[in-house]
Amino acid sequence: MKLTLIKTIALSSLLTCSAAAMAEQSDYKLMVIETATAPQPLEQSFNSCALNVKSKNYAEAEAICTKAIALLKDADGPKFKVRQLTSFALSNRGVARLKANNDTAGLADLYEANQMSTSTMVSHNLTRAKEDLSLISAL
């Protein structure tokens, strides 16, 4: 029983995500995973995606975000955390796609991300995209 509890705690902390925003309030939010809280390939692709968006390497960011989403489909861990991280990866990819003027795909990613998670940062990105695309009026 003690070993099972330790494994449960380890898995829970393994997929802990720091949803750190890397932009100003009015701009899009990019989410990253805290160092050493997820398996190396996931952490690397997830954070590299956000870094490439920030560096304006949008095609590279989209490819890396897609890889992170694929890695999350096979991830072990609490389903809620995997779902939340998938939502964040979709949001990051959506931002990359919007910045690359692939508006339809970017908006689709943001809608899907918003349905998966109740994150305020994800909903912020969706609202921001709608405003940028003139789908709603800015407040």
Side-chain angles (χ1 to χ4, degrees):
M1 170 141 176
K2 186 175 182 180
L3 185 56
T4 304
L5 179 59
I6 291 170
K7 282 183 180 180
T8 302
I9 292 169
L11 275 175
S12 295
S13 64
L14 182 69
L15 293 175
T16 301
C17 178
S18 171
M22 297 174 57
E24 292 184 25
Q25 240 353 46
S26 62
D27 206 357
Y28 291 103
K29 309 294 182 192
L30 299 171
M31 281 65 76
V32 297
I33 297 175
E34 288 181 348
T35 305
T37 59
Q40 182 69 22
L42 176 58
E43 178 188 319
Q44 193 172 30
S45 62
F46 201 100
N47 293 346
S48 182
C49 168
L51 181 62
N52 275 282
V53 173
K54 190 78 172 158
S55 300
K56 299 181 180 180
N57 300 321
Y58 304 126
E60 183 73 12
E62 181 180 348
I64 294 169
C65 288
T66 300
K67 179 182 176 185
I69 293 164
L71 287 170
L72 284 161
K73 286 182 181 178
D74 297 327
D76 291 327
K79 296 291 183 204
F80 169 77
K81 267 301 177 197
V82 171
R83 191 170 173 84
Q84 184 181 44
L85 289 174
T86 302
S87 170
F88 293 162
L90 281 163
S91 180
N92 286 352
R93 185 175 73 179
V95 171
R97 287 175 165 177
L98 287 167
K99 294 287 190 174
N101 296 317
N102 188 352
D103 299 340
T104 303
L107 201 55
D109 279 347
L110 291 173
Y111 271 109
E112 185 177 354
N114 196 53
Q115 286 184 329
M116 294 180 85
S117 172
T118 58
S119 165
T120 56
M121 286 183 280
V122 171
S123 62
H124 167 86
N125 286 345
L126 178 58
T127 300
R128 174 64 194 237
K130 288 179 186 178
E131 289 171 357
D132 285 353
L133 299 172
S134 299
L135 299 175
I136 61 172
S137 60
L139 300 175

